[in-house]
């Protein structure tokens, strides 16, 4: 709908200047709009403002006929009279098949049925919705101001569900899942262990799982989930055990390892084995990591990839058993810079009892299993439980108590290729209060060791 006024136009109901364009100029606008038309669903309606400007009925009819000749699909005859008499007088003299349109703002008592009888085909209620929303907002905020809460207005305002429906949020989420480049990747975060026995964590983790420690205004688990979601990973499963009811992670589903006190990390990971499909990223719940590590890991071409860090050799002593790795290192023994950018190494051994002099990497607690790797992982777990249910399984008393490292080594010994993505720095584990202090200092300088429980 375009109107035949001079630019810049003034609203028809504002007193004062109401200047009209010449008929020839406005016909040119209609012709230009029709020339841009690409289908019958696009229509050009010419709004005649002669009655608004006080130029009379004859001028209104003359202009309307000219606009029809220019190709207008409909004529909006506009009036600011308080009754519809003026536009009815126009419709009585209108002999063209081009439909008439009314905008009953000032003559609001007229009904659509009355307009139809007078030859009008379309009614535009141009501002009633806007005016209603202004009135409703004014009344709503007045009630909130007077009562001090929104409780009084909740019954008469639209629920958020309606807002999302209008936005098309469901369709948006469906498309996001369908077209996200990593829509088929699941993430599993084992967070079942009771870390209170770790040095200095007893009081800090009283009735609180380690993943719920707050670091820079966010919990550790939320920081992990944020990094994963930034790559389109929407399905996140957290396997809780100790104080599992305290685990809150936006958008994540919480699984329960009710036997956390008598089982190991492999058992917790494999609780989610039936949820694994296509690609599955596993991340220990006690690590902070740079999101670029996730980016590199998701690009791995291999069925099973561990993230392995060679910087551990230069770090200060840590009072813990390190998850050490022996991996092929083609650059070892050479003084030349490596020319290739392939930073994947085949893993030969993984575990905490490896001689530090033999090890060349540390497993950071993050791995990616693609479709074939998931199948091998399931098969290895099933076989381990059959053969090692009552006897030692690598570094553990039996398969159920096994660490995830043990299961990885079992895969290697079954001739399943495992590769390591080599990194240097970019991550940190939260194994002690000192680790927690350092992490908090990174995100919030001058922080103290105060744990705020959710």
């Amino acid at each position: 709908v375009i109107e035949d006024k001079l630019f810049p136009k003034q609203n028809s109901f504002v007193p004062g200047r109401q200047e009209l364009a010449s008929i020839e100029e406005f016909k040119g606008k209609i012709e230009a709009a029709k020339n841009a038309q690409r289908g019958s669903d696009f229509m050009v309606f010419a709004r005649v403002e002669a009655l608004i400007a006080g130029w009379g009925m004859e001028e209104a009819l003359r202009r309307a006929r000219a606009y029809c000749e220019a190709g207008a699909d409909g004529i909006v005859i506009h009036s600011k009279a308080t009754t519809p008499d003026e536009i009815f007088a126009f419709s009585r003299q209108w002999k063209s098949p081009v439909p008439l349109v009314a905008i009953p703002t000032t003559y609001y008592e007229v009904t659509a049925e009355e307009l139809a009888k007078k030859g009008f085909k379309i009614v535009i209620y141009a501002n009633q919705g806007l005016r209603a929303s202004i009135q409703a907002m004014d009344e709503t905020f007045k009630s909130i101001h007077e009562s001090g809460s929104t409780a009084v207005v909740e019954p008469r305002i639209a629920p958020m569900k309606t807002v999302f429906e209008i936005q098309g949020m469901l369709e948006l989420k469906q498309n996001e899942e369908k077209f996200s480049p990593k829509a088929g990747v699941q993430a599993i975060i084992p967070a079942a262990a009771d870390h209170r026995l770790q040095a200095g964590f007893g009081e800090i983790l009283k009735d609180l799982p380690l993943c719920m420690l707050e670091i820079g205004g966010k919990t550790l688990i939320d920081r992990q989930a944020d990094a994963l979601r930034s790559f389109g990973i929407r399905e996140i499963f957290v396997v809780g055990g100790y104080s599992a009811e305290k685990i809150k992670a936006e958008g994540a589903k919480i699984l329960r390892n009710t036997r956390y006190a008598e089982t190991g990390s492999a058992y917790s990971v494999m609780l989610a084995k039936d949820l694994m499909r296509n690609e599955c990223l596993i991340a220990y719940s006690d690590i902070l990591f740079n999101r670029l590590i996730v980016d590199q890991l998701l690009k791995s071409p291999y069925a099973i990839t561990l993230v392995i860090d060679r910087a551990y050799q230069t770090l200060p002593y840590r009072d813990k058993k390190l998850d050490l790795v022996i991996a092929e290192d083609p650059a070892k023994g050479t003084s030349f810079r490596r020319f290739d950018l392939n930073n994947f190494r085949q893993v030969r051994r993984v575990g905490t009892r490896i001689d530090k002099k033999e090890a060349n990497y540390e497993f950071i607690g993050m791995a990616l299993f693609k479709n074939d790797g998931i199948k091998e992982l399931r098969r290895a777990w099933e076989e381990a439980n059959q053969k090692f249910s009552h006897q030692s399984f690598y570094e553990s008393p039996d398969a159920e108590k096994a660490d995830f490292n043990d299961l990885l080594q079992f895969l290697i010994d079954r001739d399943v290729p495992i590769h390591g993505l080599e990194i240097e720095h970019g991550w940190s584990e939260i194994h002690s209060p000192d680790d927690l202090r350092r992490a908090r200092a990174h995100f919030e300088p001058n922080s103290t060791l105060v744990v705020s429980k959710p």
Side-chain angles (χ1 to χ4, degrees):
V1 176
I2 51 178
E3 56 192 274
D4 56 354
K5 284 184 178 171
L6 285 178
F7 180 86
K9 72 175 240 37
Q10 179 142 282
N11 187 282
S12 302
F13 301 116
V14 174
R17 177 181 62 83
Q18 295 291 343
E19 298 173 296
L20 304 187
S22 70
I23 291 177
E24 290 308 313
E25 178 188 334
F26 193 66
K27 283 176 67 177
K29 289 186 178 182
I30 295 169
E31 288 167 356
K34 290 295 290 184
N35 186 61
Q37 185 176 16
R38 294 294 178 266
S40 59
D41 286 341
F42 179 86
M43 292 181 286
V44 179
F45 289 175
R47 184 165 122 181
V48 179
E49 294 282 302
L51 300 179
I52 294 287
W55 289 25
M57 187 64 67
E58 286 305 315
E59 179 66 14
L61 288 163
R62 188 167 74 93
R63 284 175 171 263
R65 294 181 187 118
Y67 302 158
C68 288
E69 290 173 7
D73 296 304
I75 295 295
V76 180
I77 180 62
H78 204 23
S79 168
K80 58 183 178 181
T82 56
T83 70
D85 295 347
E86 198 170 37
I87 65 164
F88 286 169
F90 181 96
S91 67
R92 282 195 299 271
Q93 300 178 64
W94 185 247
K95 307 304 179 184
S96 170
V98 175
L100 292 180
V101 183
I103 306 178
T105 299
T106 53
Y107 46 96
Y108 49 80
E109 291 184 352
V110 70
T111 66
E113 184 179 3
E114 289 173 314
L115 288 165
K117 288 179 179 177
K118 297 294 185 178
F120 287 86
K121 301 298 184 184
I122 297 174
V123 183
I124 297 177
Y125 295 100
N127 51 60
Q128 284 77 7
L130 174 65
R131 289 156 57 202
S133 66
I134 293 170
Q135 182 73 17
M137 284 189 282
D138 186 55
E139 292 173 357
T140 297
F141 286 117
K142 182 180 179 183
S143 297
I144 293 171
H145 179 71
E146 290 175 349
S147 67
S149 82
T150 66
V152 292
V153 301
E154 290 296 337
R156 65 175 191 261
I157 62 177
M160 288 304 297
K161 180 175 179 288
T162 303
V163 177
F164 297 146
E165 286 172 356
I166 292 170
Q167 288 178 319
M169 185 62 68
L170 178 60
E171 185 181 1
L172 179 76
K173 295 296 289 181
Q174 288 171 342
N175 286 336
E176 187 177 55
E177 294 295 328
K178 183 178 178 181
F179 299 112
S180 169
K182 291 301 170 188
V185 181
Q186 301 84 43
I188 296 171
I189 302 175
D194 181 352
H195 292 271
R196 287 177 298 175
L197 298 180
Q198 289 177 202
F201 266 145
E203 212 36 57
I204 297 170
L205 296 178
K206 186 179 180 182
D207 299 325
L208 191 71
L210 186 142
C211 67
M212 291 303 293
L213 287 174
E214 216 172 88
I215 298 172
K218 282 187 176 182
T219 62
L220 179 52
I221 194 72
D222 274 334
R223 289 199 173 277
Q224 291 184 330
D226 285 350
L228 296 172
R229 278 193 293 264
S230 71
F231 289 97
I233 299 175
R234 300 285 177 254
E235 281 192 295
I236 301 175
F237 301 96
V238 180
V239 183
Y242 170 69
S243 291
E245 70 282 355
K246 300 288 181 66
I247 297 177
K248 310 291 181 193
E250 185 182 353
K253 297 175 183 176
I254 312 300
L255 308 178
R256 294 285 186 105
N257 179 1
T258 56
R259 299 179 59 208
Y260 70 91
E262 58 195 79
T263 57
S265 58
Y267 184 93
S268 288
V269 170
M270 298 313 290
L271 275 176
K273 66 182 186 299
D274 294 332
L275 300 170
M276 301 176 185
R277 62 183 186 279
N278 300 326
E279 294 185 49
C280 179
L281 187 149
I282 295 169
Y284 290 180
S285 65
D286 62 349
I287 59 172
L288 281 168
F289 47 83
N290 189 308
R291 61 186 298 275
L292 294 179
I293 295 175
V294 181
D295 184 38
Q296 288 181 279
L297 181 59
L298 292 172
K299 293 173 182 174
S300 170
Y302 299 107
I304 302 175
T305 308
L306 313 182
V307 181
I308 55 176
D309 180 22
R310 69 181 314 141
Y312 86 95
Q313 296 167 325
T314 62
L315 295 176
Y317 170 76
R318 284 172 285 166
D319 185 20
K320 68 160 287 192
K321 289 183 178 180
L322 302 181
D323 298 328
L324 297 176
V325 171
I326 298 176
E328 290 182 349
D329 188 352
K332 192 173 184 180
T334 178
S335 59
F336 296 103
R337 288 181 176 171
R338 296 205 302 270
F339 184 74
D340 68 281
L341 298 176
N342 180 6
N343 54 352
F344 293 96
R345 311 278 173 254
Q346 185 148 4
V347 175
R348 297 303 183 193
R349 286 185 60 194
V350 57
T352 61
R353 296 177 186 171
I354 296 174
D355 189 326
K356 289 185 179 180
K357 295 177 182 177
E358 292 183 55
N360 49 0
Y361 295 99
E362 177 185 4
F363 174 43
I364 79 166
M366 182 182 291
L368 180 68
F369 289 78
K370 295 195 174 182
N371 195 24
D372 290 342
I374 291 170
K375 291 176 183 176
E376 292 291 354
L377 182 65
R378 287 192 187 118
R379 278 196 285 264
W381 179 243
E382 185 178 342
E383 186 178 331
N385 278 278
Q386 289 173 355
K387 293 182 178 179
F388 301 95
S389 59
H390 299 292
Q391 57 179 299
S392 61
F393 182 60
Y394 295 93
E395 299 179 7
S396 301
D398 57 48
E400 284 196 341
K401 294 181 176 66
D403 190 81
F404 192 56
N405 288 341
D406 299 319
L407 189 54
L408 292 172
Q409 187 61 54
F410 188 44
L411 281 163
I412 293 169
D413 290 346
R414 294 171 82 250
D415 294 324
V416 176
I418 294 182
H419 289 78
L421 165 66
E422 178 188 319
I423 64 167
E424 193 160 357
H425 304 296
W427 71 287
S428 178
E429 62 187 336
I430 308 299
H431 179 73
S432 68
D434 281 342
D435 294 332
L436 185 60
R437 286 189 189 95
R438 279 192 292 272
R440 285 178 169 168
H442 177 78
F443 289 100
E444 43 184 42
N446 305 318
S447 67
T448 57
L449 189 61
V450 176
V451 178
S452 146
K453 293 186 181 180

